[in-house]
Amino acid sequence: MSARAISLTVNGAARQVAVEGGARLSDVLRNALGLTGTKIGCDAGDCGACTVLVDGEPVCACLTAVGQVENSAIVTVEGLGACTRSGGRLQAAFHDEGAAQCGACTPGMLVSAAALLDAEPAPTESDIAEALGGVLCRCTGYRKIVSAVARAAHGAAPAPLTEGAVGARVARRDGRAKIEGRDAFGADAIPADALFVRAIRAPHHRARFEIGDMQAYLRAHPGLAGVLTAADIPGRNLHGVIPHFADQPVFATHETRFRGEAVAAVVGEREAVAALDLTEFPVRWTPLPAVLAPEEALADGAPQLHPNRPRNILVGGRVARGDVERGFIDSDAIVEGVFETGFVEHAYIEPEAGFARRAGRRMEVTACTQAPYMDRDDVAAILGLEPEQVRIVPTAVGGGFGSKLDLSVQPYIALAAWKFGRPAAMVYSRPESIATTTKRHPARIRSRIGATKDGRILAIDFAGDFNTGAYASWGPTVANRVPVHASGPYVVPHYRALTRAIHTHCAPAGAFRGFGVPQMAVAQEQLLDALADRLGLDPLELRLRNALDGATPTVTGQTLGDGVAFRECLEALRPAWRAARAQAESFNANARGPLRRGVGMAGMWYGCGNTSLSNPSTIRIGIKADGRIALHQGAVDIGQGSNTIIPQIAAEALGAPLSRIDLVSADTDLTPDCGKTSASRQTFVTGRAALQAARALRAGILRHANADDDAALRFVDGAVEIVEGDVRRTLALRDLPPDAFGYAVSAEETFDPPTTPLDADGQGDPYAVYGFGAHMAEVEVDIELGVVKVLRIVAVHDVGRAINPTLLEGQIEGGVAQGLGLALMEEFHPGRGENLHDYLIPTIGDLPPIECILVEQPASVGPFGAKGVGEQALIPTAPAIFNAIRHAAGVAVTRAPATPDRLRAALKTRG
Amino acid sequence: MALLHRPRALNEALAHLAEDGVRAIAGGTDIFPALVDRPSPRAFVDLSALPELRGVSCEAQHIRIGAATRWSEIARADLPPALRMLQQAAREIGARQIQNRATLGGNLCNASPAADGAPPLLALDSRVEIASTSGVRSMPLADFLLGNRRTARGPGEIMTAILVPRAFERAGSAFLKIGARRYLVISIVMVAALVEADDARRIRTARIAVGAASAVAQRLRALERKLVGAALDADFGALFEDGHFATLAPIDDVRATAAYRREAARACVARALAEAASRA
């Protein structure tokens, strides 16, 4: 059937597309016209990433049939500069303000903002929020987007900074591609001849299944190349991010363990696969009894998920120090409580996507990921290949937050490309992404804190159970990280923290910004406020009294030395804290209606890098004959900024201008292993490797020139000038024979943070450095309706050294937004609400002003003293909000999120 | 991939709708989300290009709103105070991108219990006009909405207009919605209230409808009667009795518990009444 051509004006040009009129405009723009700047985040109008202008009005292209806009003028992000009055200024302002992080929401944001500014040249902040309220962002916390729009409205286009070393607010080096819609994400560079893959997934939490007559199915569905099942796997039908615990099949055999688990995949031409009704696939399901909560999974007679893990316990964690019973006997005040949190979905705007291509005996996988080398090893094992036979090419990543550490589309596209000999692509739908990828672990925490009457903590007894879902994923990491951190950044002489990761028939819980530590902080930091209340102490002063320093051992017995500025963080917060507390109390004293105000805070510490495990990064840097410097930087930039931060560190260490450095981005064939983008480790670990490599390159250049260490270098085209006192010499790079990597001079250095194993009591040095911080939240509670509005956040972070303050603030503001979501609205219920209108993340209207205070006390182990902040930024937000609710309304939040119904119920029991 | 018919005349649209496998589409904001991971229908018939389904006109007895009028057009329209609550609702439906596509008729025909358009239009005693190949009929909106995703629209019928009586058009009105976030949110509960004052600044007429607290948004007629004669600045909450809310039958879902909805509905009714009364 050939469709009648539909005429559109797209970005000012007349276009004709031969598609049916009922096709989504978003698909037509991307597939027929190649305008992949328009992103698809949900196909349901829930995220706004696909916003385009139709005759000047912003609409979701995914909800618009192309035939409905025939003869209309469509403007996409690619045409924003030329076809709107404000687009160019907005793009420059977004770039300069750091308003684009991963870039997946950026096109929708820019298009919506252009519609606003073209109609209203001087918008208020609330006009901006109204105009952008329909576009979700998961990275930025929206504040830099608001400032960028305000700046574009009120001034000329800024000139973003492209040069500058450590400490400079250099604009993101991959930013222009993001604001122009050119950055290619997982679904954006799929070859035209690719086959498409869709998975057949379990509709029950647990089921037995039998696959029926696939040959008949294939005969009945023209355009399909075939079906993949476990029988098609040449290697092992198993993967997992921690090799020792690998337990997740690519395709389940006989029985599925969570709703959404794949049992087969159909492969075929794009249109044929898209048109399938997958419920007609020949598979017969027999639902089996399932356990969804840890208490059910632990019960006698409960179904066992894995035969080698008795009682469904994946792993336990333990840290103990001192004599806990003694500590409580000596305490004047003891507070205790039970706290619960739910599954939290990462909800990045880019669903998982990518394509694979077979090249003889090699496999190339181009997909969004946080962990290229881990992907390489697992894909190789699944295909029965050597790791070197697999090449992983990460695309731009539209947000990760931990979930894109685990495999998603990779095994399916690799198997399809391997078997059928054509490129094979897969793009998760939003429901598929939510149902099947990892989640934040739900936690049930029971904790007790004892202290002297003058507020010195003597003892903590902490026990946490974490619902780890059907497969191990990062469950062991959560179980091990939490007990190390459950003291918080405080001196605790008598301590016991026990954790368990427990299997259930839920989607696997894995890594999510903080690895269990945010859940821990929800409990511990609320108990500290209860303790302050009990003792009649100010919550900030109580924390200050117990603040960890570099000379006192942590609960694992580690003495941190330098790089501990928690006390300084609290002191930096104190002025804002005192003023806000007093204001809230005076507001409440005069309150007549249902509104009450409150101010709360929470402290935080978080170890950078893997817990007591090697996690090296290797950086290669070389100077070419033409004088350009190539930085092989394998840390995947998922929006956090490593494509900018690592070059800044290298430039400073080498003494070269940033603009002379060209990035060779993550690709397992081109860049050495920089580990995973996770655990707040890239700035710290890869940054330190970059520092060492750049210094080694400098030393190499000096050696070639027989110059002293203190000589100055000047990088010019084709040469390096060496300046020693009044003597200036030129090292002509073309005269040097190419080295093993093809460079005139190059260096490769590895850094692995120094840690020691933990003993049976969890004693040892789990991390080389910790980040510290504290957040303060100011809230307004409608006590009649249980509705909370956050009015302001102040976030103080000890970052060691701010390599790029704009990107750092972006991390902090984004962490705050996710913390706010965890506190007030986010909870995934397995089997229900696998979309972004039932699963809610904060919108631009939910984020208050955020003040970032950066404390820079260098940690000697970090590059120029820097440490990570990615996860740190999220940890204290939720407990700070809960403590503010407590201050406003006198109730503790024992079950996160504090949705209106839960908070109202708590307020009623208070009476 | 679905075909799309784009008729310019109602009878053409009705003819297409009579064919097998053809679904009516206007804003698409409910249809496309329901097609994620599912195959498309054979064809759509697009109602958004039918001139008689578009726009707002003031007639002698009522204000006529074409069923394919978009929410953003309602938000911008110059309408009397009684319809202010409808305009407030218009700004709370999804977000700008949705309001620029979604239509009033679609909101009503989709018949979600949480349809933000239903409470204000019910409180306004609106009627809906429905066309079929055998002619045009109209009925009260209250009779049109039958249940969760169920309406009195028969196969082959198209809603053409919403008719809002002008009897109380100078009355004050207010719309209030509770959700777990600021934008793009499905209501936990919402209330539309209309208050008309007499010369003594007392309530002559009150109209209240509550949404998302039963399968279909409900008018609180017992409370409406009770409020007649109350001072405009009365403490409305103090006049409430449990029986006034007896028609509400909320459920537990991912957004809130039934108990919360029941309680929040009362609080919101009091607030919406106070806001409407302040404009009466």
Side-chain angles (χ1 to χ4, degrees):
Chain A
M1 180 166 49
S2 71
R4 180 179 67 86
I6 293 174
S7 301
L8 307 166
T9 302
V10 181
N11 296 330
R15 305 294 295 262
Q16 296 232 317
V17 285
V19 295
E20 294 297 354
R24 296 176 194 255
L25 176 59
S26 47
D27 289 336
V28 174
L29 289 170
R30 291 175 54 84
N31 303 333
L33 297 173
L35 295 170
T36 52
T38 298
K39 305 302 174 194
I40 295 177
C42 68
D43 266 340
D46 295 329
C47 77
C50 68
T51 300
V52 298
L53 300 182
V54 172
D55 297 328
E57 297 276 7
V59 305
C60 290
C62 75
L63 301 181
T64 304
V66 63
Q68 293 184 297
V69 294
E70 182 159 19
N71 298 321
S72 292
I74 316 290
V75 177
T76 69
V77 68
E78 291 92 343
L80 212 54
C83 302
T84 65
R85 287 191 298 280
S86 56
R89 264 181 298 142
L90 276 163
Q91 284 169 315
F94 266 56
H95 192 32
D96 194 42
E97 291 278 331
Q101 284 189 23
C102 81
C105 77
T106 307
M109 286 289 180
L110 283 166
V111 168
S112 303
L116 170 71
L117 293 195
D118 278 12
E120 170 55 68
T124 63
E125 184 166 332
S126 93
D127 293 336
I128 295 171
E130 287 279 329
L132 305 184
V135 190
L136 298 178
C137 169
R138 193 56 157 167
C139 295
T140 65
Y142 300 103
R143 300 309 304 178
K144 294 198 182 296
I145 293 172
V146 173
S147 350
V149 177
R151 229 175 114 192
H154 297 122
L161 193 61
T162 54
E163 196 55 86
V166 164
R169 289 180 180 268
V170 175
R172 184 181 292 280
R173 296 190 93 208
D174 47 11
R176 280 226 77 84
K178 293 183 191 293
I179 57 172
E180 290 170 0
R182 289 184 286 109
D183 217 11
F185 294 83
D188 293 343
I190 294 170
D193 61 339
L195 293 167
F196 271 69
V197 183
R198 283 176 75 192
I200 306 300
R201 298 184 177 280
H204 306 287
H205 296 301
R206 180 180 172 221
R208 246 195 325 272
F209 67 94
E210 283 167 73
I211 293 176
D213 186 347
M214 292 193 291
Q215 291 315 313
Y217 181 77
L218 289 173
R219 281 194 301 275
H221 293 88
L224 295 193
V227 173
L228 300 170
T229 66
D232 295 293
I233 297 175
R236 63 173 203 174
N237 182 17
L238 204 61
H239 62 93
V241 287
I242 307 175
H244 172 62
F245 288 99
D247 59 359
Q248 187 163 1
V250 176
F251 293 114
T253 51
H254 314 301
E255 184 179 316
T256 54
R257 295 187 177 96
F258 72 96
R259 185 185 137 87
E261 182 159 20
V263 298
V266 289
V267 184
E269 304 301 330
R270 179 179 208 141
E271 298 263 309
V273 169
L276 292 174
D277 180 350
L278 294 184
T279 60
E280 292 170 357
F281 184 84
V283 55
R284 203 172 63 185
W285 302 100
T286 310
L288 297 171
V291 290
L292 300 182
E295 57 271 25
E296 297 167 31
L298 291 168
D300 290 340
Q304 301 294 296
L305 277 96
H306 301 277
N308 57 339
R309 294 174 188 156
R311 297 191 64 219
N312 291 318
I313 297 173
L314 165 63
V315 73
R318 170 188 163 88
V319 171
R321 185 171 179 83
D323 179 346
V324 178
E325 279 70 27
R326 181 82 245 157
F328 284 111
I329 290 168
D330 293 344
S331 291
D332 299 314
I334 296 172
V335 291
E336 59 190 313
V338 176
F339 300 86
E340 291 180 298
T341 66
F343 277 112
V344 183
E345 157 64 18
H346 300 71
Y348 23 69
I349 303 306
E350 181 208 23
E352 293 73 4
F355 69 92
R357 193 198 303 267
R358 179 173 181 168
R361 295 295 299 166
R362 289 200 86 206
M363 172 54 55
E364 282 182 20
V365 176
T366 304
C368 57
T369 179
Q370 294 178 243
Y373 275 84
M374 288 164 51
D375 289 0
R376 182 194 68 163
D377 294 355
D378 257 349
V379 168
I382 291 163
L383 294 179
L385 300 176
E386 292 305 313
E388 293 70 26
Q389 289 175 275
V390 174
R391 176 183 188 183
I392 302 289
V393 185
T395 62
V397 182
F401 317 117
S403 195
K404 289 177 183 167
L405 294 164
D406 293 60
L407 292 182
S408 57
V409 299
Q410 293 89 344
Y412 307 112
I413 55 180
L415 285 166
W418 194 254
K419 175 165 177 177
F420 299 108
R422 274 173 62 184
M426 187 173 195
V427 179
Y428 275 10
S429 69
R430 179 58 64 177
E432 191 172 28
S433 175
I434 294 183
T436 68
T437 63
T438 63
K439 304 279 165 285
R440 181 181 295 288
H441 285 71
R444 181 183 162 83
I445 291 165
R446 176 182 296 279
S447 182
R448 210 148 65 106
I449 303 181
T452 62
K453 58 179 178 294
D454 62 347
R456 295 211 177 271
I457 297 171
L458 287 183
I460 290 181
D461 190 9
F462 174 99
D465 278 345
F466 292 82
N467 182 346
T468 206
Y471 297 105
S473 181
W474 297 96
T477 309
V478 168
N480 288 321
R481 196 175 259 273
V482 169
V484 170
H485 286 82
S487 61
Y490 309 106
V491 176
V492 182
H494 304 291
Y495 181 77
R496 178 168 58 212
L498 305 174
T499 54
R500 294 186 295 187
I502 297 158
H503 283 300
T504 61
H505 292 103
C506 296
F512 191 164
R513 221 170 177 176
F515 286 106
V517 175
Q519 296 95 304
M520 173 285 288
V522 161
Q524 300 298 76
E525 291 290 327
Q526 284 197 85
L527 282 179
L528 285 184
D529 269 35
L531 183 63
D533 278 1
R534 182 77 60 81
L535 296 171
L537 292 172
D538 177 274
L540 186 142
E541 301 306 325
L542 173 75
R543 287 171 173 86
L544 203 46
R545 199 159 295 181
N546 293 285
L548 186 70
D549 56 33
T552 314
T554 68
V555 289
T556 70
Q558 182 178 8
T559 304
L560 294 171
D562 66 7
V564 182
F566 182 52
R567 176 174 296 277
E568 289 77 358
C569 289
L570 294 175
E571 282 162 356
L573 187 59
R574 193 191 266 136
W577 167 256
R578 289 198 172 155
R581 288 278 278 199
Q583 269 172 20
E585 279 154 23
S586 118
F587 177 92
N588 292 344
N590 300 311
R592 283 194 313 213
L595 300 181
R596 299 288 179 277
R597 290 202 177 164
V599 177
M601 66 161 298
M604 176 283 301
W605 71 329
Y606 191 79
C608 300
N610 288 5
T611 312
S612 288
L613 288 172
S614 168
N615 63 131
S617 283
T618 301
I619 285 279
R620 183 186 309 152
I621 186 167
I623 187 161
K624 292 182 270 191
D626 64 2
R628 300 291 306 169
I629 298 157
L631 178 66
H632 294 248
Q633 194 282 108
V636 181
D637 193 326
I638 59 173
Q640 89 284 15
S642 51
N643 281 343
T644 308
I645 297 285
I646 306 303
Q648 278 184 269
I649 291 171
E652 173 102 2
L654 186 57
L658 186 58
S659 56
R660 192 160 280 278
I661 296 184
D662 300 322
L663 204 57
V664 180
S665 280
D667 175 333
T668 58
D669 272 12
L670 301 178
T671 54
D673 190 0
C674 281
K676 59 201 167 65
T677 294
S678 164
S680 303
R681 58 178 296 285
Q682 292 299 18
T683 295
F684 166 47
V685 183
T686 299
R688 171 72 187 259
L691 172 89
Q692 291 173 190
R695 284 191 177 152
L697 176 61
R698 183 184 141 81
I701 292 168
L702 291 173
R703 254 195 322 278
H704 277 288
N706 282 323
D708 287 341
D709 282 354
D710 54 358
L713 300 185
R714 266 196 73 228
F715 292 85
V716 295
D717 288 347
V720 182
E721 294 176 0
I722 291 107
V723 185
E724 291 181 288
D726 298 337
V727 184
R728 174 179 299 245
R729 285 177 297 149
T730 297
L731 178 68
L733 295 166
R734 281 181 211 292
D735 297 345
L736 302 176
D739 69 7
F741 293 118
Y743 292 109
V745 190
S746 71
E748 192 171 287
E749 288 289 327
T750 296
F751 175 68
D752 192 6
T755 61
T756 66
L758 299 179
D759 69 14
D761 277 334
Q763 298 298 296
D765 297 352
Y767 309 104
V769 70
Y770 286 78
F772 295 86
H775 287 189
M776 178 189 103
E778 204 175 322
V779 306
E780 189 167 84
V781 180
D782 184 328
I783 55 175
E784 218 171 64
L785 293 172
V787 173
V788 177
K789 184 174 170 52
V790 181
L791 303 175
R792 177 187 175 211
I793 297 280
V794 181
V796 189
H797 284 274
D798 162 23
V799 298
R801 176 79 187 273
I803 304 292
N804 183 323
T806 298
L807 298 185
L808 253 172
E809 290 160 4
Q811 283 297 291
I812 294 170
E813 291 167 5
V816 165
Q818 292 184 356
L820 185 148
L822 169 69
L824 298 180
M825 64 186 80
E826 296 191 34
E827 182 165 13
F828 171 68
H829 304 274
R832 293 200 291 170
E834 291 154 354
N835 57 64
L836 293 176
H837 52 265
D838 290 322
Y839 186 84
L840 301 182
I841 66 171
T843 68
I844 199 167
D846 299 296
L847 264 294
I850 300 166
E851 292 158 42
C852 296
I853 301 174
L854 304 181
V855 174
E856 296 185 77
Q857 183 167 304
S860 54
V861 68
F864 301 106
K867 40 195 181 182
V869 78
E871 291 160 290
Q872 283 83 343
L874 179 148
I875 295 163
T877 312
I881 290 171
F882 293 158
N883 283 333
I885 292 172
R886 175 192 189 88
H887 185 227
V891 294
V893 177
T894 54
R895 180 78 176 83
T899 50
D901 57 347
R902 283 190 187 139
L903 185 54
R904 182 61 204 145
L907 286 161
K908 277 167 77 172
T909 54
R910 181 203 59 162
Chain B
M1 214 183 280
L3 301 169
L4 183 106
H5 304 295
R6 198 149 200 258
R8 309 291 159 144
L10 183 59
N11 58 356
E12 264 181 79
L14 288 165
H16 283 302
L17 200 55
E19 297 162 18
D20 266 356
V22 177
R23 287 191 65 183
I25 186 172
T29 58
D30 285 311
I31 285 191
F32 278 116
L35 294 176
V36 175
D37 285 339
R38 292 190 181 86
S40 292
R42 190 180 66 75
F44 294 115
V45 54
D46 178 23
L47 309 182
S48 66
L50 298 172
E52 58 266 66
L53 264 65
R54 298 297 292 270
V56 181
S57 56
C58 210
E59 299 177 2
Q61 295 303 312
H62 52 249
I63 295 165
R64 180 191 174 85
I65 304 173
T69 304
R70 304 194 192 285
W71 285 106
S72 54
E73 297 171 71
I74 292 296
R76 284 195 297 261
D78 185 15
L79 295 172
L83 277 73
R84 183 191 160 106
M85 59 183 167
L86 185 66
Q87 295 183 292
Q88 285 179 296
R91 293 192 186 90
E92 296 285 336
I93 289 175
R96 195 70 53 90
Q97 284 83 342
I98 306 299
Q99 294 152 19
N100 281 336
R101 296 294 301 168
T103 66
L104 270 73
N107 192 250
L108 298 176
C109 289
N110 186 55
S112 160
D116 286 320
L121 291 169
L122 282 170
L124 288 163
D125 280 332
S126 306
R127 296 176 70 82
V128 295
E129 191 182 86
I130 300 161
S132 67
T133 48
S134 50
V136 174
R137 62 180 180 136
S138 83
M139 65 167 72
L141 174 60
D143 295 342
F144 177 79
L145 298 171
L146 298 178
N148 183 3
R149 313 270 169 186
R150 285 198 305 121
T151 70
R153 186 176 74 95
E157 285 191 315
I158 291 173
M159 183 188 285
T160 48
I162 296 109
L163 309 174
V164 180
R166 296 184 59 187
F168 308 116
E169 69 179 13
R170 309 313 307 171
S173 73
F175 176 82
L176 206 66
K177 162 172 173 168
I178 307 281
R181 69 178 177 190
R182 178 62 192 88
Y183 298 112
L184 273 178
V185 68
I186 298 175
S187 300
I188 293 172
V189 71
M190 73 284 206
V191 172
L194 175 148
V195 171
E196 187 194 32
D198 63 16
D199 295 340
R201 306 299 293 154
R202 293 187 169 275
I203 294 180
R204 176 187 291 157
T205 313
R207 296 275 188 270
I208 305 155
V210 178
S214 30
V216 175
Q218 294 292 312
R219 283 278 293 272
L220 303 184
R221 293 183 191 275
L223 178 58
E224 291 172 6
R225 287 192 293 273
K226 167 92 177 184
L227 288 167
V228 173
L232 286 182
D233 59 355
D235 174 4
F236 296 114
L239 301 172
F240 294 174
E241 295 161 19
D242 289 349
H244 295 152
F245 299 89
T247 49
L248 302 184
I251 57 164
D252 290 336
D253 66 13
V254 291
R255 283 175 273 283
T257 60
Y260 174 80
R261 286 195 162 92
R262 204 175 278 286
E263 195 186 16
R266 283 175 84 128
C268 290
V269 168
R271 292 183 192 187
L273 278 169
E275 190 183 327
S278 74
R279 300 197 187 112

